[in-house]
Amino acid sequence: VLNEAAVAFPDAASVRIERCAVHVGGNQRNEAVRALREAVTREDCTEDDRRNAGEYVWMVAGRHHLWDEGLSICDAWVKAHPDHGRAHWWKGYMLERAGRSDEAIAAYRAARKVGGEKLPEAAYHLGILVGFRGEFDECLKLLGEAIRLNVSVREGTRAPEDALVTLGGVYVNARNFEQAAKVLAVGGPFLRHAFELHQNLGFCLRELGGQQSAKKKNALARKSWKRSVEAYERACAAVRDADVPS
């Protein structure tokens, strides 16, 4: 039936995606890859088709850690549809997982250019990558945008609170408590139950206050210590909330 539909609707991505699904269900990975490659290059490719195609990029390549094969599919997708934000996003994700961060950053920027707020994942992953490169201001702006839009994350990807704690830790190790606090504070309004994030924020603000006090910046030190107490209180509240039976 699907073969007949493919002949009847030569430009429809949906038919090829259905064929890919059948092959995935039958553990026929090579056939699934061929069907998916056909799907992403079809002219008639709706938003639902794009979303489903991305999921199958993960299923036929990503979950098997076949990053180069996934990238090959995404390259064909981008070439056929350079205006598809999801094509660029998935290309970036394959590159990121393959350890090719600079290329992933370029792909995520392209995804944001054509996908905008429809793709908070692009803002999130781009924010993490530029943060590890030391581009603080853009990192904080992107992470804040992504978390505000309730970014979804994939298997093998850090959840927002884990990513912020990890990135904050980079600055803590350099004793740059001011930057660490800025990173962690991004998630504060949106990640109320993230105990470790609030605990680490309290620590960074406490240490920052100590640094400011040593430099005789007493007003700033008092402000940092006050914020530290507030962060520790949120950490305690997160623990209490976790202990409350649902």
Side-chain angles (χ1 to χ4, degrees):
V1 173
L2 288 174
N3 288 337
E4 293 175 359
V7 173
F9 302 99
D11 294 326
S14 58
V15 176
R16 279 82 186 169
I17 292 172
E18 287 294 332
R19 181 188 286 170
C20 175
V22 170
H23 290 312
V24 168
N27 293 317
Q28 299 168 312
R29 202 186 65 81
N30 291 336
E31 291 83 353
V33 168
R34 282 195 292 271
L36 183 57
R37 196 183 299 274
E38 288 184 17
V40 297
T41 57
R42 297 300 96 181
E43 183 176 345
D44 182 8
C45 191
T46 67
E47 182 61 30
D48 283 343
D49 292 334
R50 300 172 204 181
R51 188 176 295 106
N52 291 334
E55 294 302 319
Y56 281 111
V57 169
W58 176 256
M59 293 181 72
V60 304
R63 70 177 178 181
H64 302 291
H65 294 190
L66 299 172
W67 312 123
D68 287 342
E69 186 164 61
L71 181 59
S72 175
I73 296 169
C74 293
D75 278 336
W77 189 358
V78 167
K79 183 177 180 180
H81 298 287
D83 60 331
H84 286 190
R86 292 188 185 277
H88 294 283
W89 144 249
W90 278 103
K91 178 177 179 178
Y93 189 59
M94 293 295 110
L95 288 164
E96 180 183 351
R97 295 299 297 272
R100 296 161 62 178
S101 297
D102 288 346
E103 294 169 89
I105 285 173
Y108 288 143
R109 290 197 191 283
R112 281 177 54 75
K113 184 176 181 179
V114 297
E117 286 201 346
K118 293 180 181 178
L119 293 171
E121 308 98 308
Y124 173 69
H125 285 263
L126 179 58
I128 293 297
L129 292 181
V130 300
F132 281 118
R133 291 207 312 197
E135 299 171 16
F136 308 126
D137 292 342
E138 185 179 15
C139 165
L140 298 183
K141 178 181 177 181
L142 289 164
L143 292 179
E145 175 187 331
I147 295 171
R148 174 177 60 81
L149 294 170
N150 194 27
V151 64
S152 58
V153 296
R154 310 199 62 75
E155 177 186 343
T157 302
R158 293 186 182 95
E161 58 267 33
D162 296 331
L164 291 173
V165 167
T166 300
L167 187 57
V170 172
Y171 303 130
V172 168
N173 290 338
R175 298 195 63 76
N176 189 341
F177 295 109
E178 184 174 8
Q179 284 295 349
K182 286 181 180 179
V183 169
L184 294 167
V186 167
F190 308 102
L191 302 170
R192 188 166 57 88
H193 300 298
F195 161 76
E196 187 177 6
L197 183 145
H198 294 293
Q199 180 190 46
N200 287 14
L201 178 57
F203 167 79
C204 290
L205 289 166
R206 187 190 73 193
E207 294 298 305
L208 175 60
Q211 290 178 337
Q212 291 166 333
S213 178
K215 296 177 181 178
K216 308 300 183 184
K217 297 180 179 179
N218 295 326
L220 289 176
R222 286 193 295 272
K223 184 176 180 181
S224 294
W225 286 329
K226 181 176 184 294
R227 291 179 60 207
S228 173
V229 170
E230 292 169 350
Y232 281 132
E233 287 175 344
R234 288 193 297 272
C236 292
V239 173
R240 287 196 302 270
D241 290 348
D243 290 338
V244 174
S246 56

